[in-house]
């Protein structure tokens, strides 16, 4: 029997399993897109108007916002595994409610619960994977999460194509029911893998943490490495706990270097939502409808759209760590702005008019630009949202900063998904101008306000932000204050 490849470690296999959380995120995000194009779905819910369609889509983002906002509490109190299982339980319930929806309110509640599940799972699973991984594995594990999101969206869109071919009044229920399967598999399976040694150390359970660490990494010949590495984790955790007791939420904006870190880490996620990717993903079938496409054509083109992201993600692995972060961000936002400019021109010059055929060349050009938006985001801007925040956030404030980032992310997405169907109905192609401007603005911000962090150590990144001395000064002030307080107590005695 040939030996197992060195890269095929226990932690990498665990990351593949935890990637089901990313798959669930992609699938749950994508399955509503073909559903809105199914005649059976639209007829069952009495042809929902634009505000109601927006609510059906955006309530998922509201649920994800709640899940990500509460994940700090659930993952800290329950542990990484149980927090994921907790989220999965809501995912199963939400999927069941959506599949069995007898009324639109039941559908909305189910979608809210599914969103809460996704916000919880995606808030914990990548952290869990990073905590159990060796240093050289973390980039690969990040890539796994991104890939699984793309594959989840791909499966969702092609499930919609299959539903469209199934002549049944309940065809739309199938895709919603499938949501519960990955949630159930992940929720049960995660309880059978080891806990995060880092979380166990945070709770002071050092003996259990070391035993778990050895189960993850010991291969019979690296005993000394395991001892050294675990000792390093213990030291790091002790420093982190000490820092967390001193630094609070207000410290995110107390000093210019910390404010700049928060801006750089959060704006990349804001740019991702302002890129219009949520609008394209969720409402592409509505765009195809304006081109006079029938149901089957809308579903087929959306399925082809779903093929773009997985391919783009694979291609990004070959250059994403070889080109500067800043160049990737500027190029992505600039190209997105150009793509929306072309979409706007085509939609304005060749509008779809009832009873009249549309220009075939314009149709193809518009669809090509929509596909380019997906390829651009999946290969360039999307990966940066996973890479940049961990690079720029300090250990002491990482959890708090990540919570702020996710709140910003889901808040912008919530607004866009709620407003898009209304805007399309009332102003038509003029709505696309918004994304020309937002992407152009993001390109300018990346060009003039972003530092280059590729190839930099954490110490070098500290120098870029100029907060080494600031941090020490802050800690010194706290230490002086504590000493003065103790002197006062001693004097009172």
């Amino acid at each position: 029997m040939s030996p197992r490849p060195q890269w095929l470690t226990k932690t990498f296999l665990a990351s593949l399993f935890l990637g089901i959380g990313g798959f669930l995120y992609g699938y749950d995000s994508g399955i509503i897109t073909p559903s809105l194009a199914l005649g059976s779905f639209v007829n069952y819910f009495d042809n929902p108007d634009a505000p109601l369609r927006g609510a059906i889509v955006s309530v998922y983002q509201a649920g994800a916002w709640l899940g990500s906002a509460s994940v700090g509490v659930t993952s800290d109190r329950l542990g990484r595994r149980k927090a994921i299982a907790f989220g999965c339980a809501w995912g199963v319930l939400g999927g069941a409610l959506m599949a069995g929806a007898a009324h639109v309110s039941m559908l909305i509640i189910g979608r809210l619960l599914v969103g809460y599940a996704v916000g919880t799972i995606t808030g914990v699973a990548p952290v869990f994977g990073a905590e159990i991984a060796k240093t050289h594995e973390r980039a690969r594990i990040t890539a796994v999460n991104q890939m699984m999101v793309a594959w989840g969206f791909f499966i969702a869109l092609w499930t919609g194509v299959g539903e469209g071919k199934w002549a049944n009044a309940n065809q739309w229920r199938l895709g919603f029911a499938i949501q519960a399967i990955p949630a159930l598999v992940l929720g049960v399976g995660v309880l059978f893998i080891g806990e995060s040694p880092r979380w166990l150390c945070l709770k002071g359970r050092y003996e259990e943490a070391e035993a778990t660490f050895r189960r993850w990494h010991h291969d019979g010949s690296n005993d000394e490495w395991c001892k050294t590495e675990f000792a390093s984790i213990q030291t790091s955790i002790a420093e982190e706990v000490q820092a967390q007791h001193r630094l609070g939420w207000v410290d995110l904006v107390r000093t210019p270097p910390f404010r700049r870190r928060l801006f750089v880490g959060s704006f990349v996620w804001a740019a991702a939502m302002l890129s219009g990717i949520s609008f394209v993903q969720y409402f592409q079938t509505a765009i195809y409808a304006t081109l006079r496409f029938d149901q089957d054509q809308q579903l087929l083109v959306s399925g082809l759209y779903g093929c773009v992201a997985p391919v783009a993600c694979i291609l990004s692995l070959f250059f994403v760590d070889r080109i500067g972060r800043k160049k990737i961000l500027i190029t992505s936002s600039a190209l997105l702005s150009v793509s929306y400019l072309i979409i706007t021109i085509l939609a304005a010059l060749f509008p779809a008019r009832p009873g009249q055929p549309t220009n075939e060349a314009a149709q193809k050009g518009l669809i090509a630009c929509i596909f380019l938006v997906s390829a651009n985001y999946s290969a360039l801007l999307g990966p940066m949202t996973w890479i940049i925040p961990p690079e720029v956030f300090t250990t002491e404030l990482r959890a708090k900063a990540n919570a702020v980032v996710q709140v910003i992310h889901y808040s912008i997405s919530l607004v866009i998904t709620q407003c898009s169907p209304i805007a399309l109905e009332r102003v038509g192609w003029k709505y696309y101008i918004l994304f020309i401007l937002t992407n152009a603005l993001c390109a300018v911000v990346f060009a003039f306000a972003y530092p280059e962090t590729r190839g930099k150590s954490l110490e070098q990144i500290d120098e870029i932000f100029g907060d080494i001395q600031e941090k020490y000064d802050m800690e010194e002030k706290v230490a002086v204050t504590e000493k003065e307080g103790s002197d006062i107590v001693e004097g009172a005695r």
Side-chain angles (χ1 to χ4, degrees), residues 115-186:
Y116 180 84
V118 166
T120 302
I121 296 166
T122 56
V124 182
V127 174
F128 186 15
E131 287 180 344
I132 63 176
K134 294 179 180 178
T135 301
H136 68 273
E137 293 179 314
R138 284 176 185 160
R140 193 161 64 238
I141 286 173
T142 299
V144 166
N145 282 313
Q146 183 74 13
M147 283 291 298
M148 292 296 277
V149 171
W151 281 109
F153 201 81
F154 169 84
I155 296 297
L157 294 182
W158 282 100
T159 298
V161 175
E163 288 176 328
K165 299 295 184 182
W166 181 31
N168 189 295
N170 292 310
Q171 57 186 180
W172 57 272
R173 298 182 187 273
L174 176 63
F176 293 153
I178 292 174
Q179 291 178 113
I181 298 175
L184 182 62
V185 171
L186 178 61

Side-chain angles (χ1 to χ4, degrees), residues 166-241:
W166 181 31
N168 189 295
N170 292 310
Q171 57 186 180
W172 57 272
R173 298 182 187 273
L174 176 63
F176 293 153
I178 292 174
Q179 291 178 113
I181 298 175
L184 182 62
V185 171
L186 178 61
V188 173
V190 74
L191 299 176
F192 292 91
I193 63 177
E195 182 56 87
S196 163
R198 186 177 179 85
W199 179 79
L200 292 170
C201 284
L202 280 169
K203 296 302 177 183
R205 295 155 60 177
Y206 297 111
E207 291 184 5
E208 186 180 349
E210 185 171 12
T212 302
F213 180 84
R214 290 179 67 84
R215 281 198 298 272
W216 279 118
H217 298 294
H218 189 251
D219 61 8
S221 61
N222 62 345
D223 195 68
E224 192 61 34
W225 177 87
C226 285
K227 290 179 181 178
T228 303
E229 190 69 14
F230 183 73
S232 175
I233 290 176
Q234 277 187 290
T235 302
S236 174
I237 292 294
E239 293 174 352
E240 185 176 332
V241 169

Side-chain angles (χ1 to χ4, degrees), residues 69-115:
S70 64
V71 76
V73 176
T74 54
S75 67
D76 181 60
R77 293 186 179 181
L78 302 177
R80 311 307 190 217
R81 298 180 308 157
K82 291 181 180 177
I84 292 173
F86 172 77
C88 289
W90 292 109
V92 173
L93 178 59
L97 285 174
M98 290 180 68
H103 189 271
V104 70
S105 58
M106 190 173 173
L107 177 73
I108 289 175
I109 292 173
R111 192 152 168 80
L112 178 72
L113 295 181
V114 167

Side-chain angles (χ1 to χ4, degrees), residues 16 37 142 157 175 189 193 213 258 271 346 359 371 385 418 422 481:
L16 287 175
T142 299
L157 294 182
I193 63 177
F213 180 84
F258 277 18
L346 290 175
N359 185 288
F371 281 29
T385 61
Q418 177 62 50
I422 302 173
T481 302

Side-chain angles (χ1 to χ4, degrees), residues 5 21 33 77 109 114 136 216 288 349 387 391 412 443 463 480:
T33 301
R77 293 186 179 181
I109 292 173
V114 167
H136 68 273
W216 279 118
Y288 305 146
L349 294 179
I387 293 172
E391 287 182 337
I412 296 175
E463 293 176 6
V480 169

